[in-house]
Amino acid sequence: MKREGFATRLGVLTATLGSAVGLGNIWKFPYMTGQNGGAAFLFIYLAATVVVGLPIMIAEIMMGRRARANAITTWKKVAPDNSGWMLVGVCGVLAAFSIMAFYTDVVGWVFRYIVQAAAGGLNSSDPKAAEAVFKATVSAPWASLAWQWGVLALVSTIILGGVSKGIEKTTKILMPMLLGMLIVVCIRSLTLPRALDGLAFLFNPDFSKVDGEVVLMAMGLAFFKLSIGMGTMMTYGSYFREDANVPLTASRVMLADLTVSLLAGIAIFPAVFNYGFEPAAGPGLLFMTVPAVFSSMPFGQAFMTLFFVLTAVATIGAMLSLFEVPVAFMIESGLGWSRKKATIATAVGLGICGIPATLSFSAMSDVTLFGLNFFDFYDYLSSNLLMPIGGFFICVFAGWFWGRERTEADLSNRGALSNRAVIALYSLIVKWITPLLVLLVLLKGLGAF
Ligand code: TRP
C-alpha cells in the first residue's frame, strides 16, 4: 500500500502549521508571559524558538522524511543497531499522553465558552464578573469531565472516520479566519485608553526577575508551541514530499507560529491593563480578558462566539497530531492492534489520565505531586522535562550520528536546492549550540547547580 502523504507543498505547510498553532499560542503563551513578568520572558522565549526550536524542528522533519515512519519506528530505522534510541520515542509517547490529559480539559473550556458566549453570558468587562464565570466553569467537576470526554470522543471520531482530509481542508479556510479575528481583537485592544501599559508590559523587558526556572519555562513553551521534542514532527516529516524544502518550511512554520502568538499577546495585554485584570492570573487569563474586549464593541457577542469557535478549530489540528503519536505506537507495538482498537485505547486511557487534571480545579485541588496539582504537573512533566529531554537526544542524534553527507543530501534534496550556507549553519548549531543549551537550561531550571 502506498503511504499517504501531503499532496502539495502548501498542504505540507498548512498541516505542519495546523499542528503547531493551537492553545499554545492563544491560551498558554499569553498566560505564561503574564505569569513570568512579560517582556523579559517573551525575549527569552523568542531566543529559544530560534536557537533551540528551529534546529530541532528541522532535525525531526528530516529524520521522519528519511525513515517514512512513525515516531518510534523512525528510531528503529535510523538507529537499527542501538535500540536505546527508541527510548526517545517512548518519552514522546508519554509526553503526548501527559499533554493531552490537560489539553483536552482546556479544549472543553473553549467549547463551553462558545455556548456561553452565544447565550450572552459573557457580555461584561468587569474583572470580578469574568473571574466568577471562569471559576464557575472550571470548578464544576462533572460538567468539566463530560466536556473533556466529549472532546476525546470528537477527536477519536475524526481519526476513526478517516475525515482528517476534510479537516485539513476546513483548517485551510478557518485558520486564516482565526488570524483575521485575532487582528480584529488586536485593533480593538490597542484602541483602549490604557493600551500602552499592556504594550509596555509585553515589550519593555525587566530581566531582574529572570531565574533558571523562568528560562526553563520559556524553553518548554518553545517546545510545546512548535510541537517538537516528542516525535510529532517526525511523524509529519514522514508525510513530506521529497521535493519539500525542509529548512524553509520549518522556518516558515516557526515565523507563522510566532506571529499568531504575538498577535494573541497584543490582543490580550492591553485589555488586561485597561480593565484591571491580573496579568499573572494563570490559565484563566484568555477566558477572562477576551470576553471583556468583545463586550465593549459592536456585534461583540457574535464576534466573541466566532472567536471561540475558531479557537476550537485550531485546537483540533493540534490534538490530531498529539493523538496520532500513541495511536501509531500502539499499532506498531507488535500487539497486532488495529487502528480502531488503538484509537479507543488511547481515548479511554486519556479519559482516565485526564480526570485528576480536570478535577485540579475542584475536588482534587488539594492533591499535589511535587508541589503541583495534577493539571500543572502534567504540563510541567511534558514541557519542562520530557520534551526537552527528547529534544536533546534528537539534536545529539542529528548532530553527531546523522553525518555530514546525509545531512547535506537530506536538506538540499540531493543537491536540488542551493542552500549550502543554511545547511552549514544548521549543522553547527544542531551539533554544538542547541544540545548544550538545552542541557544547561534543563539542569539549571531543575536546580542542579
Ligand atoms: N503546538 C500545539 C499548540 O500550540 C500543541 C501540540 C500539538 C503539541 N502537537 C504537539 C505540543 C506535540 C507538543 C508536542 O497548541
Side-chain angles (χ1 to χ4, degrees):
M1 200 174 85
K2 195 174 170 295
R3 228 166 157 264
E4 260 189 73
F6 297 136
T8 62
R9 278 188 224 173
L10 185 66
V12 167
L13 184 66
T14 49
T16 315
L17 205 54
S19 161
V21 175
L23 287 177
N25 308 62
I26 300 168
W27 163 75
K28 205 167 196 269
F29 167 77
Y31 100 68
M32 287 191 72
T33 306
Q35 268 181 337
N36 292 294
F41 180 84
L42 171 68
F43 289 126
I44 299 168
Y45 161 74
L46 284 178
T49 300
V50 176
V51 189
V52 174
L54 185 59
I56 296 182
M57 175 143 68
I58 295 175
E60 267 193 56
I61 295 176
M62 175 186 81
M63 288 166 65
R65 181 170 73 168
R66 170 69 73 128
R68 296 250 175 247
N70 71 64
I72 308 267
T73 319
T74 291
W75 286 108
K76 265 194 230 165
K77 287 199 181 170
V78 299
D81 30 64
N82 186 347
S83 54
W85 289 102
M86 264 173 55
L87 286 178
V88 182
V90 176
C91 244
V93 174
L94 287 180
F97 242 81
S98 120
I99 293 171
M100 281 296 271
F102 72 90
Y103 206 91
T104 46
D105 181 27
V106 182
V107 178
W109 303 346
V110 175
F111 277 102
R112 289 160 80 190
Y113 265 66
I114 298 176
V115 178
Q116 300 196 49
L122 303 175
N123 297 334
S124 151
S125 299
D126 171 26
K128 288 250 155 33
E131 195 182 342
V133 173
F134 178 71
K135 285 240 163 82
T137 305
V138 301
S139 66
W142 287 108
S144 296
L145 286 176
W147 280 94
Q148 180 175 35
W149 291 334
V151 169
L152 283 168
L154 175 72
V155 178
S156 321
T157 314
I158 294 174
I159 289 197
L160 284 179
V163 290
S164 10
K165 278 259 157 54
I167 294 287
E168 244 172 70
K169 287 210 182 92
T170 15
T171 346
K172 252 184 227 172
I173 305 165
L174 292 175
M175 294 287 265
M177 274 176 76
L178 177 66
L179 199 65
M181 196 62 170
L182 273 173
I183 293 174
V184 171
V185 192
C186 282
I187 294 174
R188 174 61 202 145
S189 214
L190 285 173
T191 49
L192 290 169
R194 295 190 50 206
L196 279 182
D197 293 351
L199 288 183
F201 179 79
L202 194 55
F203 294 114
N204 192 6
D206 166 11
F207 285 97
S208 66
K209 282 185 221 97
V210 172
D211 59 12
E213 170 121 35
V214 171
V215 179
L216 178 59
M217 300 275 228
M219 188 177 79
L221 181 64
F223 275 94
F224 185 90
K225 292 218 350 294
L226 295 174
S227 314
I228 54 170
M230 45 138 331
T232 287
M233 284 298 156
M234 268 180 205
T235 314
Y236 273 54
S238 74
Y239 303 127
F240 267 51
R241 283 162 46 130
E242 289 297 331
D243 66 353
N245 186 335
V246 174
L248 186 66
T249 307
S251 310
R252 284 187 176 151
V253 169
M254 182 204 75
L255 283 178
D257 182 74
L258 210 56
T259 309
V260 176
S261 309
L262 284 177
L263 285 177
I266 296 173
I268 285 178
F269 285 106
V272 166
F273 285 85
N274 188 70
Y275 294 114
F277 285 96
E278 174 54 54
L285 191 67
L286 169 82
F287 296 93
M288 299 193 278
T289 44
V290 161
V293 181
F294 282 115
S295 304
S296 65
M297 64 187 260
F299 308 108
Q301 189 174 331
F303 270 127
M304 193 193 305
T305 312
L306 187 61
F307 177 88
F308 284 112
V309 169
L310 295 172
T311 304
V313 172
T315 67
I316 290 178
M319 286 195 293
L320 288 175
S321 75
L322 278 163
F323 218 86
E324 190 59 26
V325 177
V327 168
F329 169 65
M330 286 180 199
I331 294 175
E332 312 209 354
S333 63
L335 295 169
W337 282 16
S338 65
R339 171 159 277 267
K340 187 168 174 191
K341 198 164 173 187
T343 305
I344 294 173
T346 304
V348 171
L350 283 172
I352 295 168
C353 295
I355 295 174
T358 302
L359 297 187
S360 293
F361 299 93
S362 50
M364 292 177 66
S365 58
D366 297 334
V367 185
T368 56
L369 274 178
F370 306 103
L372 300 169
N373 65 30
F374 269 89
F375 187 94
D376 294 332
F377 174 75
Y378 282 127
D379 186 10
Y380 196 96
L381 177 67
S382 48
S383 284
N384 297 349
L385 292 173
L386 294 172
M387 287 193 267
I389 293 173
F392 171 76
F393 284 108
I394 290 167
C395 270
V396 169
F397 195 84
W400 295 88
F401 294 88
W402 200 255
R404 183 92 205 173
E405 249 165 64
R406 231 182 344 170
T407 306
E408 270 171 17
D410 282 345
L411 295 184
S412 71
N413 296 343
R414 308 204 156 50
L417 306 169
S418 44
N419 54 356
R420 290 197 76 107
V422 173
I423 296 174
L425 188 64
Y426 157 84
S427 305
L428 183 79
I429 295 180
V430 88
K431 196 165 185 174
W432 296 105
I433 301 181
T434 315
L436 282 177
L437 266 179
V438 174
L439 201 63
L440 257 166
V441 172
L442 194 58
L443 293 177
K444 177 86 189 148
L446 296 177
F449 59 87

